Every structure is written in C-alpha cells, then in structure tokens.
Amino acid sequence: MGRYFSKIIKNGTLVLENGCERADLGIRGEKIAGILAPGNELEAEEMVDASGLTIFPGGIDTHTHFFEPGANYREDWLCGTRAAAAGGYTLVMEMPNSSPPVIDERTFGVKYGLAEGRSLVDFALWGGAIAGNQAELEKLSALGCIAFKGFTLEAGPEFLWLNHQQQVDAMREVRRLGKVLGFHAEDDAIIRELKARFQSQPWDLRLHDEARPYYGELAAIQNAITFAEHTGCAIHICHLSIPEGAECIKRAKARGVDVTVESCAHYFLLNYEEQFASGTYGLIQPPLRSRERMERMWPYLMDGTIDYLGTDHAPYTKEDKEPEDGDGWQVMGGAPSIDIAYPLMVTECLKRGMAPHRLAALCAGNGARRFGLYPEKGVIQVGADADLALMDLDYPWNYTRKNSFSKTKCTKFPYEGRALSCRVVSTFLRGREIYCDGEILAKSGYGKFVRK
Ligand SMILES: [Zn+2]
C-alpha cells in the first residue's frame, strides 16, 4: 500500500479553531489531510519534526502595500512576499492604491501581471472604488478583486476619494456585486481644516495626531456605518486606531449592520508618546494615538469587536522620510511591518492572556471568513490548504530590519530593536515549505492568485 500522506509534521502543537492540540499533521499534496494522534506510526514521503514548535495557520494579511506598480524602489512583489513568508504570512491582500491604482480592467491587468510569476505567497487583489469608476466595479469584481477600497478623504490625484453621496453610490454597487467595501475612514473636512491651521507649526508626532484627531476618524466611521445601514452593503473599516471607533462598530454590529473592522499591531503596541523620537518614521495614517488610547484598544481586541489584523505594510526610504527641506507635513505616512507583525502580536497577545486560537482567528481565520476564502484558507483543518506558520514561542530575540527580506531595510522605524519572545521558524504554503530559519526555500511565482 502506498503512503497516503506526502508529508507529516510531527510532535508539534496545532492551533486549531477551538483550541490547541498536541497532534501530528498529515499533508497530502497541497491540503491538510489528517490530524493524527501523537505517537502514531504512520509514515510519509517526508517527515518534518516540529518538536517544541506551535503550528499556527499561515497568516492572512488583509492590508498590504507593495508599491508595485509605482514606487517599487520602496518595496515590490519579489521582496515584499519574501518578507511576508519570513513573517509567517501565506496570503496577502494587496491594496489598490498603487500607481497606477487598480481602478479598471487595464490597471487590474498591470497589477496582476506584476504579481503573477513574482509572488512567493498566495495573493488577492483589492480593487479601488474611486470617484467616477463605479461602472468599472462589476468588471473588477468579475476579474476576481477580493473586495473594494475607498477613501473618505483626499488621497491624491490618482486615487480619487469618495464624498458622502459617492460612498452611498459605491455601496449600492458593491452590495449588488456581493462584495465588501473597505474604507480608509478619516473625515476630509476636519483634516483639511486642521492641516491648514497647523501647518505653520513645526511638525511632530503629537501634532500629527492633533491634525488628524480621533474624532475625524470616528466621524468617518459613523458616516460609513450610517450609509451601510441604509444600503445594506457589507463594509470593512481599515486600520482602526481608536477605541471610540471600536465602540461605535460594536454597537452597529449588535443592531445588525454588516460591518467588520481591521486593526494593526502598531495601534496596540506603539503610541506618539513613547515613540515621539521616531519622528516621521512613526508617521502613519491614521496616526499613532496617545498611550492611553492605545491601551483602551486592547479590550476590543480581547472581546472580539476587532475582527482581524492587517499589517498596513508600507516601507519608505530615508529619502522619503527625511526630506531635504525638513517639512514633516509633506512626508508620506506609512511604515513596514509584514516581516514582524505576526510574531509580534503572538508575543504581546499571549502575554496578555489571549488564547492562541483566538489570536489565530485574528491573524488568519476571520479574514478568510470575511472575504469568502474560508475554509480553504485561514484554518488548520482537514480539507484546508496546508498553509502554516511554525513558531517557537519561547525564543527571546530583538528585531532588526537589517535582516529583512524587504526591498528597503531602513532601520529607523519604531519596531527596530524591539524585544520579542517568539519567532517564525518556518512557513508552509499549500504543503510546501517556502521559508525556514532565515532562508527562502521556494521560487518566486509559487504564490497563486486567490479569489472568492
Ligand atoms: Zn494602507
């Protein structure tokens, strides 16, 4: 009798949907084919020893920026997806606001053409919902865009933001298409006014929060919820930074609004007080908030209000972050984290008493559910893709971006030097080990396009 499993990962602890289990994992081809009692005598073509390791589902990053096409001197599909694999991610959902942005069939083709053949991990593509491209959304949906993203405030000349009525119109269309509409939610009028008011003062990280205040984000979230309630569209709030927004979303969910919310590691770990000296390297949008607000985000992560974690990975160079004229008001918001966010959140969440399977839901399972990829993606169970992040939960080390696979390795961002107690030892995508111990083991292009 031939061997049934192509691979068995032995002696590890599996993070399953309802809890952890000491068990062996049988893989057949690209799929998980068995969860096996420890001590079984089964054999496979390849045996992997995971003694001492905890096996999480491969991470799903709901919010990735690779800047390709566009500013691919900062990051690109080749390097960015290697950094993702090293960080335990097996699927990235890449954002449409590149240059050109993904707003119609042609620009979708440009992005797809770059990702296909270069991506090491599986990838999904967000489509852009901008002012004036409503007629293109149906086509983009048919091409396989996983969801759509719009901005509720000025986002540059290429990615035209949606005013209130345009948000309603986009929601009607996205609802008809059966997809999810995500928002970068900050109020345009408030931020436009405050930026003009503050710009004569020298920029700093605290002023950045004041110029893009919590109530600007909250107002945009409340509006989006009102419009979602009216249209019945499924919406997603990107990178939530404020507890007030979480409370508002919690109430909306309770009365049946189809809203989910993403947040990011940095809104739980960083704040403008402790990171003040990072200056423009800590400049992201929405801003890092106060330490007190950061602390108040945690209960909403613990109680399940926050559905999933994205990275908002967006590396910039020293030249981007330190312009010659020194004017911080003109600096682009963004920071890298795809190489570190997953083990960072494992470190911090376990310290705060979160069960590993709840964390796995935040980093993989819940995103897969929301975007229609469950149960093929995001969970360790028989029949699912064998997408895995093998972690050592007892491994103290300090992060440096010097060793990142990212295209740019600027070491001035806030996570530099940060202490972790956990590391990604190896990453499997569809049954194949693509990363182990600092080395990339699969060819770029192994990642495949994923659609609902
Ligand atoms: Zn983003």
Side-chain angles (χ1 to χ4, degrees):
M1 199 182 104
R3 288 168 178 165
Y4 182 72
F5 299 110
S6 43
K7 204 169 280 180
I8 294 177
I9 303 179
K10 289 187 76 73
N11 308 320
T13 299
L14 304 181
V15 183
L16 305 175
E17 269 191 290
N18 296 312
C20 292
E21 201 174 309
R22 286 294 296 270
D24 294 347
L25 193 69
I27 295 170
R28 187 173 157 87
E30 299 194 334
K31 301 282 185 186
I32 295 170
I35 290 173
L36 315 166
N40 68 76
E41 307 264 293
L42 292 166
E43 288 204 15
E45 289 151 39
E46 192 187 339
M47 305 295 284
V48 179
D49 184 20
S51 297
L53 302 183
T54 302
I55 303 173
F56 285 83
I60 294 179
D61 183 10
T62 51
H63 195 133
T64 316
H65 299 272
F66 284 149
F67 295 110
E68 189 182 36
N72 63 345
Y73 66 90
R74 296 177 186 139
E75 187 67 291
D76 61 22
W77 281 93
L78 272 175
C79 300
T81 56
R82 286 179 188 158
Y89 288 99
T90 49
L91 170 60
V92 293
M93 294 175 52
E94 214 263 348
M95 281 293 169
N97 45 323
S98 43
S99 182
V102 176
I103 49 170
D104 55 23
E105 185 173 9
R106 183 188 71 80
T107 47
F108 176 91
V110 172
K111 174 78 66 82
Y112 183 86
L114 287 164
E116 224 261 321
R118 283 186 176 82
S119 187
L120 177 65
V121 300
D122 284 353
F123 63 98
L125 297 178
W126 285 81
I130 64 166
N133 83 328
Q134 207 177 303
E136 309 295 334
L137 301 186
E138 183 164 7
K139 193 70 195 245
L140 286 169
S141 182
L143 286 165
C145 283
I146 192 87
F148 293 96
K149 184 194 193 183
F151 276 76
T152 64
L153 78 170
E154 171 71 44
E158 280 193 302
F159 204 94
L160 302 176
W161 67 287
L162 302 170
N163 66 30
H164 293 163
Q165 185 53 44
Q166 289 163 339
Q167 290 170 39
V168 174
D169 296 340
M171 282 187 196
R172 287 206 178 104
E173 181 62 0
V174 172
R175 183 193 175 194
R176 193 178 70 81
L177 299 170
K179 294 259 160 106
V180 176
L181 182 53
F183 286 102
H184 179 128
E186 291 184 276
D187 184 80
D188 188 72
I190 292 170
I191 288 163
R192 195 181 293 265
E193 170 73 20
L194 290 181
K195 249 190 138 176
R197 224 181 264 183
F198 283 124
Q199 243 164 13
S200 56
Q201 301 178 43
W203 182 94
D204 67 37
L205 212 45
R206 188 193 55 80
L207 214 50
H208 180 51
D209 169 67
E210 227 175 295
R212 302 179 77 114
Y214 86 91
Y215 57 83
E217 186 173 349
L218 183 59
I221 291 170
Q222 282 175 329
N223 281 326
I225 286 172
T226 301
F227 307 150
E229 208 158 9
H230 174 65
T231 58
C233 181
I235 64 164
H236 151 105
I237 302 298
C238 295
H239 43 48
L240 179 77
S241 75
I242 53 167
E244 295 86 348
E247 183 58 34
C248 170
I249 291 162
K250 187 175 181 171
R251 287 182 193 165
K253 284 179 172 182
R255 63 177 192 271
V257 182
D258 193 353
V259 54
T260 50
V261 56
E262 161 199 274
S263 189
C264 315
H266 38 260
Y267 298 121
F268 299 90
L269 306 176
L270 307 176
N271 57 77
Y272 69 70
E273 295 166 68
E274 285 162 300
Q275 271 65 48
F276 189 79
S278 306
T280 52
Y281 291 94
L283 193 174
I284 55 173
Q285 285 132 6
L288 296 179
R289 304 299 186 180
S290 66
R291 186 205 300 243
E292 182 262 346
R293 242 188 207 100
M294 177 196 87
E295 227 12 87
R296 282 201 286 132
M297 285 289 281
W298 275 97
Y300 295 103
L301 192 68
M302 298 309 242
D303 77 4
T305 299
I306 290 162
D307 294 278
Y308 31 77
L309 295 167
T311 65
D312 203 3
H313 176 72
Y316 285 83
T317 62
K318 185 169 180 290
E319 290 68 34
D320 292 325
K321 287 292 191 181
E322 299 180 40
E324 274 175 22
D325 65 4
D327 183 6
W329 292 106
Q330 305 309 325
V331 171
M332 303 274 284
S337 64
I338 206 163
D339 49 348
I340 192 64
Y342 200 171
L344 203 48
M345 286 312 274
V346 172
T347 295
E348 297 295 331
C349 289
L350 298 192
K351 210 191 284 175
R352 288 182 185 243
M354 185 184 286
H357 72 279
R358 286 266 302 103
L359 177 66
L362 287 168
C363 293
N366 291 350
R369 273 204 182 76
R370 179 53 158 172
F371 298 101
L373 305 175
Y374 179 89
E376 194 167 47
K377 294 288 188 192
V379 283
I380 296 179
Q381 67 177 43
V382 173
D385 282 359
D387 297 347
L388 313 165
L390 278 55
M391 300 207 205
D392 183 347
L393 302 191
D394 189 18
Y395 188 94
W397 65 293
N398 292 83
Y399 170 70
T400 173
R401 221 173 134 64
K402 244 185 283 179
N403 304 326
S404 175
F405 287 97
S406 257
K407 188 152 184 184
T408 51
K409 301 175 206 301
C410 178
T411 55
K412 293 185 158 187
F413 290 96
Y415 287 137
E416 188 68 20
R418 196 171 178 104
L420 288 88
S421 60
C422 149
R423 71 169 183 130
V424 176
V425 173
S426 108
T427 306
F428 285 72
L429 171 59
R430 285 180 280 107
R432 176 153 176 199
E433 192 170 32
I434 59 171
Y435 167 83
C436 184
D437 263 331
E439 280 187 61
I440 300 297
L441 301 178
K443 280 207 180 93
S444 296
Y446 176 63
K448 69 169 197 204
F449 182 56
V450 170
R451 51 189 298 166
K452 195 172 168 175

